[in-house]
Amino acid sequence: MAEETPSQTVPETVKAAIADRPVEGRVCLEAGAGVGNTTAGLLAAGAARVYAVTDDPDHAAMVRDRCGDATDRLVVVESDLRQTPLRSDSVDLVTAHGLCNLLDPAALAAVAAELSRVAAAGCHLVVDDYEPLPESAAVRDLFAVENAATELATGRSALTFYPASLLRRVFAGHGWTFDRERTLLDPVPWTASHLSAHAGVVTDAIAGLPPELGDPLERRAERLVEAIGEEFAGTMYSVAMTRPDSDETR
């Protein structure tokens, strides 16, 4: 296994999610690269190549900068995850760490189909995400404001929390076989910086809305961030699945 470098400090949730997967020497795909947490984890674990796919130019630049000492094994792909330029049957391990909650049901279905297309026979899939929050969680109110703002601005919710059982069924419909499920966080720490970031989504979303619609949502988000401070609520899970060693299901 390759030695982890300081620039590639990997969150414990990522390490736990991929610890039992065959990473070393494999061609991997991080679906929704974000700031590159899983890309760094895969590279540190000895992946032969990692395709870090994101449609956000800022995130692409961050991943390149963060993992620049592994450029011979890293390919940052700026692409919509619903239709990537990767070849069919070309990837040995697919990861989606904290991605699915950002996809509405239609986008989830399209992304699942695309990830299945690029997966080689025998490919492993690791999907890490959040169970729907309990009704008692205060952060639910902030996320509801975030969804209201994005629905008004774009016609779609920013967040959808899918139970692990649902994601298992979605990928099973594309021929994946369930392997294991484990808990990564229980409870999930929603820190002040996390809450501020979600309030920032509200601010960005209302920029094009009339003040009478947007301003109350922004004020509500700001009040919730101040009132909550931080909260520990909900569960983050990891589901691992595999493709059959033949292409009979394709």
Side-chain angles (χ1 to χ4, degrees):
M1 180 179 296
E3 183 179 355
E4 185 177 314
T5 65
S7 64
Q8 296 177 335
T9 302
V10 180
E12 291 301 318
T13 51
V14 171
K15 293 179 180 179
I18 65 174
D20 62 348
R21 298 298 99 184
V23 179
E24 190 166 5
R26 302 298 181 100
V27 175
C28 303
L29 163 64
E30 183 186 8
V35 298
N37 283 330
T38 307
T39 291
L42 294 168
L43 291 169
R49 175 169 296 177
V50 178
Y51 293 103
V53 183
T54 177
D55 62 358
D56 186 321
D58 291 336
H59 284 169
M62 291 174 68
V63 175
R64 291 188 183 98
D65 182 63
R66 176 178 184 175
C67 303
D69 53 356
T71 53
D72 58 326
R73 296 186 291 135
L74 172 66
V75 181
V76 178
V77 181
E78 296 187 49
S79 170
D80 189 319
L81 272 169
R82 292 170 292 187
Q83 189 174 10
T84 73
L86 276 66
R87 300 192 316 274
S88 297
D89 312 315
S90 61
V91 176
D92 303 315
L93 171 62
V94 176
T95 62
H97 191 80
L99 167 70
C100 293
N101 69 89
L102 303 177
L103 305 175
D104 62 26
L108 173 63
V111 169
E114 178 64 2
L115 297 181
S116 301
R117 180 188 69 81
V118 303
C123 182
H124 289 253
L125 169 72
V126 182
V127 180
D128 312 319
D129 228 280
Y130 304 93
E131 290 283 351
L133 286 160
E135 292 186 4
S136 59
V139 290
R140 281 172 57 105
D141 293 335
L142 176 60
F143 296 158
V145 174
E146 183 176 346
N147 280 345
T150 56
E151 285 170 5
L152 284 171
T154 68
R156 59 173 294 273
S157 297
L159 300 168
T160 305
F161 294 103
Y162 300 100
S165 57
L166 187 146
L167 293 185
R168 284 175 55 177
R169 291 196 299 272
V170 168
F171 283 97
H174 291 280
W176 295 88
T177 300
F178 174 72
D179 187 355
R180 63 98 177 118
E181 181 179 334
R182 63 177 45 157
T183 298
L184 299 179
L185 292 171
D186 185 14
V188 177
W190 302 101
T191 65
S193 61
H194 288 141
L195 301 187
S196 294
H198 285 281
V201 174
V202 175
T203 299
D204 291 342
I206 67 167
L209 295 178
E212 60 270 23
L213 290 178
D215 289 355
L217 292 171
E218 185 174 32
R219 289 195 297 270
R220 175 63 173 160
E222 291 171 349
R223 287 196 296 267
L224 285 167
V225 169
E226 182 177 358
I228 296 169
E230 66 175 15
E231 184 175 30
F232 294 81
T235 303
M236 185 180 195
Y237 58 81
S238 176
V239 171
M241 306 183 77
T242 55
R243 294 287 291 181
D245 288 330
S246 69
D247 61 359
E248 294 176 357
T249 62
R250 292 180 184 266

